[in-house]
Amino acid sequence: ELEQRLSQFHGREDTILYASCFDANAGLFESMLTPEDAVFSDALNHASIIDGIRLCKAQKFRYPHRDLNELEHLLAHSEARIKLIVTDGVFSMDGTVAPINAVGGASGGYTTGPKELVTLLRNVSRPYLFSNSPPPAVVAASLKSLDLVESSSQLRQHLRENTRQFRDGMKAAGLTVAGDDHPICPVMVGEAPMAVELRRGIYVVAFSYPVVPKGAARVRVQLSAAHTPDDVTRAVNAFADVAREIGLVKKST
């Protein structure tokens, strides 16, 4: 049922579920690409995409993050049988959004697309054949999520409002939040110790080298429609207080 609902949601012919997005990416490229093919991957793609591409025998090219001019250059100079462009929809470490309208895309712990592709994956995709199905509780929660998304835009609107409030509040506090206007909000701090300190009192995750480049440590905040305006205000105030304590921003006089 979930596979059918996801196909309808995306407007595709068929869908195959995996236990995780890591399995979905590990099972896709090796199954469909040969040495005669080429895959073109955004430089900031998720580790699961990178590892999935490594498993296949296709020619591999990497283009700078969201650089469509360089991507077009690489595509024009490739003589591959199949030219597959691979990008995250939203880049989880940076909060940036891919130009999906220009390059196409897919997401989640599933692959959705033409029936021929999904049939191929059901027969040869190793993570699908030799792993477990998603737990029933996950399937039920996913179906309920689709019900909520398809029945009303209220939750999405509230999430947009929370995102705007958080990003505006952090900017006013003198802190830098990277990315586009997206609920994934990486608070850029530069050095790893500051990333660890800045997460005090709020459930967020600090990332530093080697997960991200040296000098680009960050604290990743993920807003939710379940948060209230008071929750967002408390988070902004907590970040601002700690940032002043550790000298990340200047104390007001």
Side-chain angles (χ1 to χ4, degrees), residues 221-241:
V221 179
Q222 294 181 253
L223 278 301
S224 163
H227 292 131
T228 66
D230 287 344
D231 292 333
V232 178
T233 297
R234 185 170 71 87
V236 170
N237 289 341
F239 270 106
D241 289 344

Side-chain angles (χ1 to χ4, degrees), residues 29 32-41 52-62 74-75 77-86:
F29 309 108
M32 66 178 294
L33 298 176
T34 73
E36 298 177 354
D37 306 320
V39 58
F40 302 83
S41 177
I53 290 172
R54 285 173 176 166
L55 293 173
C56 76
K57 297 179 180 179
Q59 305 160 52
K60 302 169 181 68
F61 300 92
R62 189 173 71 165
L74 291 171
L75 290 169
H77 288 78
S78 171
E79 297 181 356
R81 179 180 66 102
I82 294 175
K83 302 177 184 180
L84 181 65
I85 303 167
V86 184

Side-chain angles (χ1 to χ4, degrees), residues 18-129:
Y18 290 86
S20 70
C21 67
F22 230 102
D23 283 346
N25 286 321
L28 176 63
F29 309 108
E30 183 183 25
S31 300
M32 66 178 294
L33 298 176
T34 73
E36 298 177 354
D37 306 320
V39 58
F40 302 83
S41 177
D42 189 288
L44 296 186
N45 272 340
H46 190 268
S48 63
I49 294 177
I50 295 171
D51 286 357
I53 290 172
R54 285 173 176 166
L55 293 173
C56 76
K57 297 179 180 179
Q59 305 160 52
K60 302 169 181 68
F61 300 92
R62 189 173 71 165
Y63 60 92
H65 182 48
R66 301 197 300 182
D67 188 337
L68 297 184
N69 290 329
E70 179 62 20
L71 174 59
E72 289 177 358
H73 174 77
L74 291 171
L75 290 169
H77 288 78
S78 171
E79 297 181 356
R81 179 180 66 102
I82 294 175
K83 302 177 184 180
L84 181 65
I85 303 167
V86 184
T87 179
D88 272 320
V90 177
F91 293 84
S92 61
M93 291 295 172
D94 298 270
T96 50
V97 180
I100 293 295
N101 290 337
V103 300
S107 62
Y110 56 89
T111 298
T112 186
K115 194 168 189 64
E116 292 83 359
L117 171 61
V118 175
T119 299
L120 172 69
L121 294 176
R122 291 191 195 281
N123 285 278
V124 302
S125 177
R126 294 174 67 84
Y128 177 78
L129 293 171

